[in-house]
Amino acid sequence: MTFKKIVLIMAMHSEADPIRDALELEEMDKLHPSLPMDSYKGKIGQTELLLLVNGVDPRFQVDSIGTQPATLATFAAIQAWQPDLILNAGTCGAFKSKGAEIAKVYWGNKVIHHDRRISIPGFREYGVGDYPVFTDQALAQKLEMEFATISSGNSLDMCDTDYQILDQEERVVKEMEAAGIAYVAELMQVPYLGIKSVTDLVDGGMLAQDEFLLHLKNSSLALQQKVLALLQEISIK
């Protein structure tokens, strides 16, 4: 399947810049003067590509990570650009015990929250989310990407209950944006596709923040390679 207009949403410039530079994307005006997101545009064959990076928080002067800015960015992007596909790419943590390795890139076949625990009848499923995703088994095999559950939470560390929730998934990666993006994509009836590159192993013995910073560059380059290959496959020639 190919798409006429793809919006690529990414949280951090350190993740997005290798892709932006490789595709020579042109900077655009901000979607709204009050929003920190940075916008870029270009083409892959006949497909229009728009990149939206969450940008720097104006108050705290750090990357706007987490589900809140991701949700806002996705809504703003869909409203402004009316894409055929939302592609969310970024880095993640994963589990060595489930076969993960640093810089391995996964394609999400399920998107959930692991930190929205609402023990009220009818609200449990709402809290978990389990949003629809776009997958293609043949294409994933061609690009040498395994499927995994993408699970979002707004903390870098995890409590015991988070571990228990994630342990139920055969393959799982944890990050901080996908569920917010997939939530909006479902509401606005735009297909969502998520791919994530491993920066840190949750059960690898290092502190998550130290391992994340150590491997961010190499994992972002691995992500770049898979994103470029994927875009070549789903763009109109």
Side-chain angles (χ1 to χ4, degrees), residues 1-221:
M1 180 180 290
T2 57
F3 300 91
K4 293 181 179 179
K5 185 186 291 186
I6 298 171
V7 166
L8 173 58
I9 297 180
M10 304 186 70
M12 303 170 63
H13 274 285
S14 53
E15 299 168 330
D17 286 352
I19 297 169
R20 183 200 66 192
D21 294 343
L23 295 175
E24 299 181 343
L25 301 181
E26 175 187 346
E27 188 167 9
M28 304 167 61
D29 292 336
K30 288 185 177 292
L31 286 177
H32 188 281
S34 297
L35 301 181
M37 299 86 170
D38 297 314
S39 306
Y40 306 88
K41 65 179 179 180
K43 297 197 79 174
I44 306 289
Q46 299 302 309
T47 294
E48 185 178 1
L49 177 66
L50 297 135
L51 167 64
L52 190 63
V53 184
N54 287 357
V56 173
D57 184 271
R59 179 180 173 192
F60 296 101
Q61 291 299 300
V62 295
D63 292 300
S64 299
I65 60 175
T67 55
Q68 284 179 311
T71 301
L72 181 60
T74 307
F75 177 77
I78 293 175
Q79 189 174 56
W81 296 329
Q82 299 295 306
D84 303 308
L85 176 73
I86 291 291
L87 172 58
N88 167 224
T91 56
C92 65
F95 291 82
K96 184 178 180 180
S97 59
K98 293 179 181 288
E101 302 171 356
I102 299 298
K104 188 171 184 176
V105 182
Y106 289 94
W107 183 325
N109 62 347
K110 181 179 179 181
V111 176
I112 63 173
H113 296 272
H114 61 260
D115 66 347
R116 293 211 317 180
R117 298 176 293 276
I118 310 173
S119 299
I120 301 173
F123 281 84
R124 181 191 176 279
E125 293 77 10
Y126 166 77
V128 172
D130 195 359
Y131 305 106
V133 296
F134 174 83
T135 59
D136 185 317
Q137 180 71 51
L139 182 54
Q141 290 178 342
K142 181 177 181 179
L143 298 177
E144 298 182 333
M145 282 194 284
E146 295 180 12
F147 287 129
T149 296
I150 302 175
S151 189
S152 300
N154 281 297
S155 296
L156 191 62
D157 61 357
M158 297 194 301
C159 68
D160 290 343
T161 307
D162 293 341
Y163 279 103
Q164 292 168 14
I165 292 170
L166 293 177
D167 195 48
Q168 296 174 24
E169 303 296 329
E170 180 181 359
R171 292 194 188 96
V172 63
V173 300
K174 63 174 289 288
E175 50 82 83
M176 302 179 74
E177 288 84 27
I181 296 169
Y183 164 71
V184 178
E186 180 184 23
L187 286 177
M188 303 188 76
Q189 300 181 8
V190 180
Y192 166 91
L193 194 166
I195 63 173
K196 302 290 172 174
S197 179
V198 178
T199 53
D200 55 283
L201 298 171
V202 178
D203 53 354
M206 286 186 67
L207 290 175
Q209 58 267 34
D210 294 340
E211 195 168 21
F212 169 81
L213 293 172
L214 179 64
H215 297 300
L216 177 59
K217 182 177 180 180
N218 287 339
S219 294
S220 295
L221 289 174

